Amino acid sequence: MSSLSIPPPLLRSSHSPSPPAAAAAKANWRKRAARVRVRAPVAALAGDGGCAGTGMEQQHLQAGSASGSPVREKPVMSNIGKSTNILWHDCPIGQPERQKLLGQKGCVIWITGLSGSGKSTVACALSRELHYRGHHTYVLDGDNLRHGLNRDLSFKAEDRTENIRRVGEVAKLFADAGTICIASLISPYRRDRDACRALLPDSRFIEVFMDLPLELCEARDPKGLYKLARTGKIKGFTGVDDPYESPVNSEIVIKMEGGECPSPKAMAQQVLSYLEKNGYLQA
Ligand SMILES: Nc1ncnc2c1ncn2[C@@H]1O[C@H](COP(=O)(O)OS(=O)(=O)O)[C@@H](OP(=O)(O)O)[C@H]1O
Ligand SMILES: Nc1ncnc2c1ncn2[C@@H]1O[C@H](COP(=O)(O)OP(=O)(O)O)[C@@H](O)[C@H]1O
C-alpha cells in the first residue's frame, strides 16, 4: 500500500469560477489535498481514478491471456438475506480519511431507557455541547424515526426488534461517515441492543443506560402516555404492560444521586467526559 494524496475533483461546467474565484478554489483544493492523505492501492488509481473497489478489480485483471490482454475473472457475488447476486464495493475515501477531516472518531452513543427517563433530553444536551465544541453529531430519535423510516412499525415485540435493527444499521453508517451518532430509543430488548453493538467494531458502540425508576418516569409523563396505559387506552406500553430488559454491561449508567436526578447538563457532561477520556474527540 502506498500513501497517495487524491485531490478532490475540480468541477468544470458552464458555471466555471471566474479567475479570482478559480485561484481561491485552487488554493482551497491544495489545502484539502494536503489534509486528506489517502491510503489507496496504486492500481486502484490506474483506471478512472475513482473508486478503488473491493480489490477485486485488480484481482480480475491479474491473470493475463496468452495474447497479453487482461482476462476479467467473474466477480464473486453474495447472497445476503433476500438479496441475491450482490457485490460489495469500496471507495478509496474511507472512515479514517473522514475522521481525519472531522477531527473525531465516528461512533454510536446508544441511549436506552423507559419512556420519560430523559433519553431525548440527554441526546439533545449532548449534541448541543459537542456541536459548540466543534464536533459533528447527529441524533437518531426513536419517536422522530417513527414519523418516517419506521412509520410502518408498531410496538409489538417483532416490530420493536425491526425498529432497533434498522436504526442500528443507520447509526453504523453515520459512524462510518465519521459522525458522533446519538441514538435515543427505548430499545427494550437486550438481544436487540447487543445486535446493534455487534455491528460496530473497536468499542464504537457506547451504551448509555438511563437507570431511572419507573415511578419518576411515570410522574413526569410529559405526553400523558403512562396515564393512557394505566387506564388501558394504550396496550403494550413499556414498563406498564410490556417488558424493559435493563442492560448489564453499559459503558455509562445515568442514575439518581442522593435521591435526585442529575440535571440535563450534568447527564450530558457524564457522557462527554467518557468520550474525552477514551479519545473519541480526536481523530
Ligand atoms: N406502546 C408503547 N410503548 C412505548 N412507547 C410508546 C408506545 N406507544 C407510543 N410510544 C411512544 O413511542 C416512543 C418510543 O419509540 P421507540 O422507537 O424508541 O420504541 S422502541 O425502541 O421500539 O421500543 C416513546 O417515546 P419516548 O417517550 O421518547 O421514549 C413514546 O412516546
Ligand atoms: N435531568 C432531568 N431533570 C429534570 N427533568 C428532566 C430531566 N431529564 C428529562 N427531564 C424531563 O422529563 C421529561 C421526559 O424527558 P425526555 O427526554 O422526553 O424522556 P424520553 O426521551 O426518555 O421519553 C421531559 O419533560 C424532560 O423535560
Side-chain angles (χ1 to χ4, degrees):
M1 284 248 180
S2 63
S3 182
L4 299 171
S5 158
I6 300 181
L10 275 178
L11 299 175
R12 293 201 190 281
S13 69
S14 55
H15 303 293
S16 287
S18 57
K26 206 169 172 186
N28 197 19
W29 170 84
R30 280 215 187 92
K31 259 192 255 163
R32 286 172 62 198
R35 250 189 307 171
V36 183
R37 303 289 301 174
V38 180
R39 293 179 309 285
V42 178
L45 296 170
D48 60 6
C51 289
T54 54
M56 262 181 224
E57 288 90 337
Q58 294 129 54
Q59 207 181 305
H60 303 160
L61 294 170
Q62 264 166 11
S65 68
S67 64
S69 61
V71 172
R72 287 194 178 267
E73 283 171 21
K74 253 184 145 186
V76 182
M77 301 296 198
S78 300
N79 299 332
I80 312 278
K82 292 182 186 167
S83 295
T84 51
N85 302 311
I86 52 170
L87 181 67
W88 183 270
H89 199 92
D90 267 333
C91 287
I93 300 295
Q95 192 195 41
E97 288 73 34
R98 292 187 283 269
Q99 291 187 150
K100 202 162 179 191
L101 203 62
L102 294 169
Q104 60 188 40
K105 289 195 179 77
C107 60
V108 175
I109 299 166
W110 191 278
I111 308 176
T112 173
L114 293 170
S115 176
S117 60
K119 301 181 298 295
S120 309
T121 303
V122 181
C124 292
L126 178 64
S127 173
R128 193 174 49 212
E129 191 58 37
L130 284 166
H131 183 83
Y132 286 145
R133 292 178 182 218
H135 292 287
H136 196 262
T137 63
Y138 196 80
V139 175
L140 296 175
D141 184 275
D143 244 337
N144 293 355
L145 293 169
R146 283 175 176 275
H147 283 74
L149 177 68
N150 295 331
R151 69 193 314 159
D152 58 326
L153 302 176
S154 74
F155 286 91
K156 61 184 184 203
E158 62 261 42
D159 279 5
R160 291 191 200 244
T161 293
E162 174 60 9
N163 183 31
I164 300 313
R165 188 194 71 79
R166 286 184 198 172
V167 180
E169 291 283 0
V170 172
K172 177 185 171 177
L173 295 177
F174 273 97
D176 189 48
T179 298
I180 297 173
C181 179
I182 307 166
S184 149
L185 297 100
I186 295 179
S187 40
Y189 299 115
R190 201 172 291 137
R191 64 169 188 277
D192 296 343
R193 296 189 300 261
D194 288 346
C196 293
R197 178 187 288 278
L199 290 174
L200 285 129
D202 313 327
S203 317
R204 284 173 190 270
F205 183 90
I206 302 153
E207 191 174 69
V208 180
F209 173 31
M210 302 300 295
D211 188 10
L212 295 155
L214 174 66
E215 299 70 45
L216 174 76
C217 302
E218 195 163 353
R220 286 176 173 168
D221 203 9
K223 303 172 203 157
L225 296 178
Y226 280 101
K227 201 166 173 199
L228 291 175
R230 290 290 178 200
T231 53
K233 293 193 177 110
I234 296 180
K235 301 279 183 218
F237 194 76
T238 307
V240 175
D241 56 349
D242 225 47
Y244 179 79
E245 299 172 0
S246 298
V248 286
N249 55 356
S250 292
E251 281 75 10
I252 300 167
V253 180
I254 292 180
K255 54 181 177 216
M256 307 279 270
E257 281 164 17
E260 299 267 314
C261 178
S263 71
K265 200 172 172 162
M267 298 192 299
Q269 186 56 51
Q270 196 178 330
V271 183
L272 201 64
S273 303
Y274 181 92
L275 297 178
E276 271 174 341
K277 203 171 132 205
N278 292 283
Y280 291 93
L281 303 185
Q282 58 206 38

